[in-house]
Amino acid sequence: MVAKFKQCYGSGINALTHLGQNYLEVDRSLIPEILQLLRDEDQFDYCVDITAAHYPKREKPFDVIWILYSFPRNERIRVKTQITDGELIASAVPIWATANWLEREVFDMFGIRFDGHPDLKRILLPDGWKGHPLRKDYGIIQQDNEWVQINLGIESGQ
């Protein structure tokens, strides 16, 4: 599988293993095509999770990670790409319906936008909430004090 991808995409894809876990580092522009191929040709028929990690000091501060599983092969793989703040990443909803709510959670918690998502809006926090709590620049005790005051009529408990 890796040899096939390397032959087709060259330096746009890098296969690695860490602590026994296989993952592919993929150029952002190749993500839709690689995810589609993993589903269609390599039987990764289940999108287990989509998540992100924030490294604010890097040039491209966000990793977006897809965790995929193949029932026929009983195998997992992770696909990872790096993006800049505000950069769009293609939605995986057309490939796996389960990506819908997973992408909404990544949007809600990190502020990452998925191009082509059918209904990208917050899923855990209220619509008027400011900020994205899983970003490293979001203070650990920070709350949207204005939202709490307006909607709950109380001062912050922090």
Side-chain angles (χ1 to χ4, degrees):
M1 179 176 72
V2 171
K4 172 182 69 175
F5 285 150
K6 288 296 265 183
Q7 183 179 15
C8 292
Y9 302 105
S11 64
I13 192 163
N14 191 20
L16 301 161
T17 300
H18 180 71
L19 299 173
Q21 302 294 317
N22 298 323
Y23 68 98
L24 299 173
E25 288 181 340
V26 177
D27 183 85
R28 182 185 70 83
S29 65
L30 299 175
I31 285 294
E33 190 172 349
I34 296 296
L35 294 178
Q36 189 78 51
L37 287 171
L38 284 168
R39 188 198 70 185
D40 295 347
E41 294 182 12
D42 295 304
Q43 299 178 307
F44 286 94
D45 44 3
Y46 178 47
C47 181
V48 176
D49 199 7
I50 301 171
T51 190
H54 185 211
Y55 302 95
K57 295 182 181 177
R58 284 193 333 206
E59 181 181 338
K60 292 184 176 183
F62 293 99
D63 284 353
V64 180
I65 304 122
W66 294 261
I67 302 169
L68 309 176
Y69 181 73
S70 169
F71 285 100
R73 296 164 62 147
N74 189 26
E75 183 179 344
R76 288 182 194 272
I77 193 164
R78 286 152 182 81
V79 178
K80 179 169 71 168
T81 194
Q82 293 183 0
I83 63 170
T84 60
D85 195 5
E87 192 170 25
L88 294 174
I89 189 81
S91 175
V93 172
I95 302 170
W96 299 283
T98 56
N100 190 320
W101 283 22
L102 301 171
E103 289 177 358
R104 286 181 58 195
E105 183 177 2
V106 172
F107 166 69
D108 198 2
M109 296 290 107
F110 291 95
I112 295 170
R113 296 189 170 274
F114 292 86
D115 190 29
H117 189 283
D119 189 25
L120 193 62
K121 62 183 180 182
R122 289 194 182 269
I123 192 168
L124 299 172
L125 295 171
D127 289 336
W129 197 266
K130 292 186 182 121
H132 304 282
L134 292 183
R135 287 185 178 212
K136 298 245 169 69
D137 53 5
Y138 190 89
I140 192 112
I141 300 179
Q142 180 179 353
Q143 286 187 58
D144 188 337
N145 290 326
E146 179 184 337
W147 187 93
V148 170
Q149 177 65 42
I150 291 168
N151 293 285
L152 301 179
I154 61 172
E155 294 297 321
S156 168
Q158 298 293 330

